[in-house]
């Protein structure tokens, strides 16, 4: 796991809120149980969008349980499942883990907000 901003992880809004500290990232990973894992389905005919101009494939996001083991994330699932087959093939993935800390309610909907912690892992 890299703990520094790269071209694809550069924060554009709320820069002061972003952290790349290993201990804070591990704390968020360790206090949560569910991860959303996204990946591309390029080439898989089950996910083909039928378009005469060019083939396009739906991306997939699956949620599952996980645990951190050192610098690795281990995902729950049957070895023959779509997720585990995709992970075993070595395709690039994006993992999102977040915890909701609170809702911020204001007098007008435009000023409502949420407080949360999140970790995004590319691999």
């Amino acid at each position: 796991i890299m703990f520094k901003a790269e071209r694809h992880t550069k924060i554009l809004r709320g820069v002061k809120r972003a952290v790349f500290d290993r201990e804070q990232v591990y704390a968020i990973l360790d206090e949560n149980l569910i991860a959303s894992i996204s990946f591309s389905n390029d080439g898989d005919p089950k996910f083909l969008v039928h378009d005469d101009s060019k083939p396009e494939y739906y991306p997939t996001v699956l949620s599952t349980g996980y645990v951190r083991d050192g610098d690795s994330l281990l995902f729950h699932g049957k070895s023959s499942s779509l997720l585990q087959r995709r992970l075993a093939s070595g395709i690039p993935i994006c993992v999102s883990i977040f915890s909701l800390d609170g809702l911020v309610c204001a007098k007008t909907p435009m000023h409502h907000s949420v407080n949360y912690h999140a970790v995004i892992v590319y691999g």
Side-chain angles (χ1 to χ4, degrees):
I1 300 176
M2 288 192 319
F3 295 93
K4 61 181 183 174
E6 296 288 336
R7 180 179 51 83
H8 63 285
T9 60
K10 183 178 179 183
I11 306 300
L12 302 176
R13 293 185 63 188
V15 175
K16 293 179 183 177
R17 297 176 132 188
V19 295
F20 292 88
D21 177 69
R22 179 182 301 265
E23 296 309 314
Q24 287 187 18
V25 169
Y26 282 172
I28 294 169
L29 292 174
D30 293 345
E31 72 185 18
N32 290 284
L33 302 170
I34 303 296
S36 296
I37 306 163
S38 61
F39 52 89
S40 172
N41 285 298
D42 287 355
D44 189 330
K46 290 190 306 188
F47 298 95
L48 179 62
V49 178
H50 297 287
D51 184 353
D52 294 333
S53 61
K54 63 177 182 151
E56 292 187 41
Y57 298 87
Y58 288 113
T60 298
V61 177
L62 298 173
S63 296
T64 190
Y66 77 93
V67 65
R68 181 180 68 86
D69 181 21
D71 279 348
S72 298
L73 295 177
L74 307 176
F75 301 107
H76 171 76
K78 187 175 177 181
S79 61
S80 61
S81 71
L82 174 66
L83 173 62
Q84 296 298 336
R85 289 192 324 264
R86 291 289 196 261
L87 292 173
S89 74
I91 65 167
I93 62 170
C94 178
V95 181
S96 174
I97 296 129
F98 80 95
S99 58
L100 180 64
D101 298 325
L103 301 174
V104 180
C105 299
K107 290 182 179 180
T108 61
M110 184 176 153
H111 295 98
H112 291 335
S113 184
V114 293
N115 292 331
Y116 65 95
H117 288 86
V119 172
I120 306 296
V121 179
Y122 295 93

